Amino acid sequence: MSPLKVWTNRLRGLLLQWLLLLSLLSATGSFRSKIFTKHVLRSNLSTSFYVLDDTPGLDRVFDGIGGVSGGGATSRLLVNYPEPYRSEILDYLFKPNFGASLHILKVEIGGDGQTTDGTEPSHMHYKGDENYFRGYEWWLMKEAKKRNPNIKLIGLPWSFPGWIGSGKSWPYDSPSITALYIVSWILGAKKYHNLDIDYIGIWNERSFDIQYIKILRKMLNQKDLDRVKIIASDNLWLPISISMLLDDELLDAVDVIGAHYPGTHTVQDALKTNKSLWSSEDYSTFNNEVGGGCWARILNQNFVNGHMTSTIAWNLVASYYPQLPFGRDGLMTAQEPWSSHYVVETPIWISAHTTQFAQPGWRYLKTVGHLQNGGSYVALTDGLGNLTIIIETMTHEHSKCIRPPLPFFLVSEQTTTFSLQGTFKELRMLQVWYSKLGKKPWNDTFLFKQLPPLKITNGTVTLQLGLDEVYTLTTITTGQKGSHPTPPESRPFPSNFEDNFNVGNPPFSEAPNFADQTGVFEYFTNDQDTSGHSFTLRQVLTQRPITWAMDADQTISIIGDHNWRDITITCDVYMETPVTGGIFIAGRVNKGGSFIRSAQGVFFWILANGTYEVTGDLERRRIIKGGKANVMAKKWYTLTLNITDSSAYGMLNNRVLWKTQLRPLPRNGWAAIGTRSFEFGQFDNFHIQA
């Protein structure tokens, strides 16, 4: 380009900027003028030019942006929110042109095992057992579809019920059985909930089996589920890509290669397959402005650097006790159903910059890439004349994701001019949406603000970009920053809580606020009961699942406030296994999730051999006290555990059974119930006074 032409373009850009400023000052209020003047019309910066053109043809098909519910139990508390707050949360996640407006919902196919923050129940606990109403993922998928009928649904197993492995912690010994188990879940989704599953995965972040993938594809076809596509292997790009290149049948069976936390990069072998490439799990970062910066950067650069056409966030909504692993690593936060408090976090509005202005089936332009002074831009079109451009200028410190490590890079303020060519040359105006991610205490953060439209002059648009900003320039006029009334204020878990489980037809299989960490605790009806325990909560697993995380050898469900110290817990308990059975209540339980095996606290056990124990840990290695208790299986008992400062006592049927001074133990933690092993056990009339 000649020096004269360069200076002509620069003068044209400066003139356009001043015209926009004059138009802005006359047509908008003080807030928009301040934002636009500060962030769009800086001067004295050299201009970089970028061409957006569909003449060379279009690039890959955009498959959408999504979120993961599961992996595990990350939506556990969401279902317990009262209306209208629960529906409001769902609107922010799924409602088109309102909030995150997600295109994809990926759910865990519950397998009874601990999968990060809890367990999710299987539709087949035992061989021959089928129940397609357990858990809450069915409900969540229906709610998503209710708001967006076009949303794509993905199912992926993390763990499997124990019977699948015939005693081994491996799901591939009988691949036909495993395939039938997964296909049954897909068929059940349709039969009982009218849900069409669009994609199915193999085994989250674990080994894949080539023979199993081929059998799964054949069985899907046999069941008239040809439309269901297979994603493999929800782990790394390799070795699945190489395996596909060496095996034509496997190549035909797999529709999408899904990698986790790819750091915005792919590998050549994945590209050689000519398959869709997805970041099928990503983000997993605390959802403040830095988490928003992470999300903004990877949403663009997963395509720019890695040709990935879909990015799916773990997790959808942080709706689990915050002291469990990866607290607040969701697109938004909803962890207090007892107060109805929730927070629409920064990543919701970062999502909207893409999701509200480009839909699955649109295509990326080939002319996308990095900005000269740092940051990136992508452009997409529907092929019908619409154009959406998303620009991000995230700095290194403000966009670190939890993984992988982020190599250092620099970003500086810059002037950018986009030249619209090809079919876009005739465009005359673009809508503008803007976010600025501030630094602590986040006072200078602006999220998803609509600015005045930009007039396109001589086929060009010029912006001056600051740091940690996101712009969407688009022909789409339906964008909206949706809102509901401010939710109630945050409050701690009630210090006086009780549940008698007297629910004859429960909407969900789990009792509110109980978060299963090993085992599965479900509402249960004793049809023949004459002792006043017709409706109970029952631990239902009798076999260790094929695990994904380190499940404990005991079953346990936690509840309450992790900050609780002094507490009285009372519960009626019923052991169902003679001689070897056992059951407990506990306080000050300090760990959960994938760390549950090493949980400490004060555990009060009664055992079917006629004894009791008080232990400082779930594993029963730190025995504080023990003795005879005159208890047996098949009989109801009332246990009471009182913990005050450094002392504790336990009562059996309202009579003191033991007293003790506590050794150094956790000073605070949740309340909990559970069983000695994977065995049936029942609980009733649960009460906490903290």
Side-chain angles (χ1 to χ4, degrees):
M1 183 180 293
S2 68
L4 178 61
K5 191 167 186 180
V6 169
W7 280 109
T8 301
N9 284 337
R10 288 183 179 178
L11 287 171
R12 181 190 302 154
L14 287 171
L15 178 61
L16 173 62
Q17 292 173 27
W18 284 111
L19 289 172
L20 287 170
L21 177 58
L22 291 173
S23 137
L24 174 66
L25 292 174
S26 63
T28 65
S30 61
F31 173 77
R32 285 187 176 180
S33 297
K34 184 185 296 183
I35 295 296
F36 207 69
T37 303
K38 180 178 180 182
H39 297 289
V40 183
L41 298 176
R42 301 180 185 90
S43 60
N44 300 321
L45 294 174
S46 61
T47 302
S48 299
F49 293 87
Y50 307 92
V51 174
L52 297 176
D53 188 2
D54 59 355
T55 303
L58 299 175
D59 210 322
R60 292 178 174 240
V61 174
F62 174 61
D63 291 311
I65 308 302
V68 181
S69 173
T74 53
S75 305
R76 175 65 194 90
L77 298 176
L78 174 61
V79 297
N80 303 140
Y81 269 78
E83 295 294 352
Y85 308 107
R86 188 172 69 178
S87 289
E88 292 173 4
I89 295 165
L90 294 166
D91 286 347
Y92 283 115
L93 294 169
F94 301 119
K95 188 176 180 180
N97 301 316
F98 190 87
S101 307
L102 295 175
H103 306 130
I104 298 169
L105 172 59
K106 180 177 181 178
V107 304
E108 177 177 351
I109 300 175
D112 295 335
Q114 168 64 250
T115 55
T116 300
D117 291 302
T119 69
E120 297 201 25
S122 170
H123 60 290
M124 299 175 73
H125 290 320
Y126 332 106
K127 189 175 183 178
D129 163 60
E130 289 188 70
N131 185 323
Y132 297 93
F133 295 92
R134 294 184 182 125
Y136 38 84
E137 303 295 5
W138 311 108
W139 164 83
L140 184 61
M141 288 189 283
K142 287 189 288 188
E143 291 294 326
K145 278 285 188 181
K146 184 189 302 182
R147 287 161 175 79
N148 179 7
N150 296 320
I151 197 167
K152 299 297 183 182
L153 301 177
I154 305 174
L156 174 66
W158 268 251
S159 66
F160 297 84
W163 65 270
I164 292 284
S166 301
K168 299 179 184 178
S169 194
W170 187 250
Y172 300 135
D173 271 0
S174 300
S176 294
I177 291 176
T178 305
L180 181 59
Y181 168 81
I182 294 298
V183 170
S184 296
W185 184 85
I186 298 172
L187 293 171
K190 182 63 175 179
K191 180 177 180 180
Y192 296 100
H193 303 284
N194 197 30
L195 292 168
D196 291 313
I197 305 301
D198 298 287
Y199 297 88
I200 200 72
I202 306 305
W203 189 13
N204 183 74
E205 295 176 355
R206 296 295 182 263
S207 301
F208 64 90
D209 182 86
I210 293 174
Q211 187 65 17
Y212 167 71
I213 295 174
K214 295 176 180 178
I215 290 173
L216 177 61
R217 178 71 270 166
K218 290 176 181 177
M219 192 172 294
L220 288 168
N221 295 346
Q222 291 168 1
K223 300 292 184 179
D224 295 325
L225 295 172
D226 310 62
R227 58 173 179 75
V228 178
K229 298 180 179 180
I230 291 178
I231 304 174
S233 65
D234 280 294
N235 198 349
L236 304 174
W237 297 119
L238 302 174
I240 184 64
S241 299
I242 293 176
S243 298
M244 291 169 63
L245 292 172
L246 296 175
D247 188 326
D248 288 342
E249 186 180 354
L250 179 65
L251 185 68
D252 289 340
V254 175
D255 299 278
V256 176
I257 302 179
H260 287 193
Y261 307 96
T264 76
H265 293 281
T266 187
V267 297
Q268 284 301 312
D269 285 319
L271 291 169
K272 288 177 184 177
T273 65
N274 292 319
K275 297 291 183 175
S276 296
L277 307 181
W278 289 11
S279 179
S280 54
E281 183 179 313
D282 217 325
Y283 176 66
S284 187
T285 302
F286 193 79
N287 57 20
N288 59 11
E289 271 69 359
V290 175
C294 155
W295 190 229
R297 178 175 55 80
I298 64 178
L299 283 182
N300 265 21
Q301 296 193 27
N302 274 348
F303 181 76
V304 170
N305 299 337
H307 305 278
M308 287 166 263
T309 55
S310 176
T311 299
I312 303 175
W314 188 91
N315 56 67
L316 174 73
V317 53
S319 201
Y320 45 96
Y321 289 113
Q323 294 81 9
L324 289 168
F326 306 103
R328 272 187 61 184
D329 280 16
L331 297 179
M332 65 179 293
T333 304
Q335 58 195 19
E336 292 185 18
W338 48 87
S339 71
S340 301
H341 178 73
Y342 64 86
V343 183
V344 184
E345 309 282 6
T346 300
I348 289 290
W349 303 117
I350 295 301
S351 303
H353 274 282
T354 299
T355 57
Q356 291 200 22
F357 308 107
Q359 298 302 315
W362 284 41
R363 297 188 72 168
Y364 285 98
L365 271 61
K366 292 181 177 180
T367 50
V368 302
H370 291 277
L371 298 171
Q372 180 174 308
N373 289 0
S376 65
Y377 65 99
V378 296
L380 303 99
T381 181
D382 61 355
L384 302 175
N386 283 308
L387 174 68
T388 290
I389 310 162
I390 305 110
I391 306 159
E392 59 82 20
T393 59
M394 295 300 118
T395 57
H396 181 268
E397 289 302 308
H398 218 66
S399 66
K400 288 182 178 178
C401 302
I402 196 170
R403 65 177 79 88
L406 181 61
F408 184 74
F409 59 87
L410 289 173
V411 181
S412 60
E413 296 182 355
Q414 55 196 302
T415 303
T416 60
T417 294
F418 292 95
S419 174
L420 307 185
Q421 299 184 15
T423 59
F424 311 122
K425 199 169 185 178
E426 305 303 316
L427 296 178
R428 294 292 176 260
M429 184 176 294
L430 292 173
Q431 307 298 313
V432 182
W433 291 83
Y434 169 77
S435 291
K436 164 71 175 178
L437 303 186
K439 294 180 171 57
K440 286 184 179 179
W442 322 124
N443 293 333
D444 55 345
T445 289
F446 301 99
L447 295 173
F448 202 57
K449 301 293 183 182
Q450 185 172 17
L451 301 181
L454 276 178
K455 290 184 179 179
I456 302 169
T457 304
N458 295 325
T460 64
V461 173
T462 298
L463 293 174
Q464 289 204 277
L465 306 175
L467 304 182
D468 300 313
E469 295 180 339
V470 184
Y471 281 94
T472 299
L473 312 180
T474 182
T475 57
I476 301 298
T477 59
T478 54
Q480 179 186 2
K481 187 172 184 179
S483 65
H484 285 297
T486 302
E489 292 185 358
S490 173
R491 295 197 315 270
F493 194 97
S495 58
N496 190 346
F497 174 84
E498 61 182 342
D499 195 336
N500 59 18
F501 312 118
N502 288 345
V503 183
N505 187 26
F508 299 99
S509 56
E510 304 99 333
N513 304 318
F514 281 90
D516 304 346
Q517 301 301 302
T518 296
V520 174
F521 295 71
E522 297 178 348
Y523 281 117
F524 182 68
T525 302
N526 289 306
D527 294 325
Q528 308 301 319
D529 178 77
T530 59
S531 61
H533 297 285
S534 297
F535 301 103
T536 67
L537 191 68
R538 190 188 197 203
Q539 198 297 117
V540 298
L541 298 191
T542 57
Q543 185 177 5
R544 185 178 182 83
I546 296 174
T547 59
W548 186 83
M550 292 296 289
D551 296 62
D553 295 322
Q554 305 76 20
T555 72
I556 179 173
S557 187
I558 61 172
I559 188 170
D561 191 329
H562 192 266
N563 295 315
W564 280 343
R565 298 183 63 183
D566 297 346
I567 188 171
T568 300
I569 306 165
T570 301
C571 187
D572 297 341
V573 299
Y574 184 86
M575 297 177 284
E576 298 189 45
T577 304
V579 184
T580 60
I583 208 161
F584 72 83
I585 60 175
R588 294 188 184 176
V589 177
N590 69 337
K591 295 179 184 178
S594 48
F595 304 106
I596 191 61
R597 287 186 70 89
S598 59
Q600 297 179 342
V602 182
F603 295 79
F604 175 19
W605 308 75
I606 59 171
L607 308 173
N609 63 6
T611 64
Y612 79 92
E613 284 183 1
V614 183
T615 67
D617 61 350
L618 178 61
E619 289 187 297
R620 297 173 60 221
R621 292 187 177 185
R622 298 177 57 191
I623 298 177
I624 299 172
K625 206 169 184 66
K628 294 183 178 180
N630 192 27
V631 292
M632 64 182 70
K634 308 290 186 181
K635 187 175 180 180
W636 281 98
Y637 299 95
T638 300
L639 300 184
T640 301
L641 172 63
N642 177 279
I643 307 171
T644 305
D645 196 19
S646 59
S647 64
Y649 68 83
M651 300 174 67
L652 176 65
N653 292 342
N654 300 315
R655 297 185 64 178
V656 175
L657 180 64
W658 56 269
K659 294 182 179 180
T660 190
Q661 292 296 309
L662 299 174
R663 304 170 187 175
L665 286 170
R667 303 300 298 172
N668 55 275
W670 297 290
I673 57 176
T675 61
R676 181 181 185 178
S677 63
F678 289 95
E679 60 183 282
F680 291 126
Q682 295 183 52
F683 305 84
D684 202 1
N685 300 319
F686 180 82
H687 180 255
I688 297 170
Q689 182 65 57

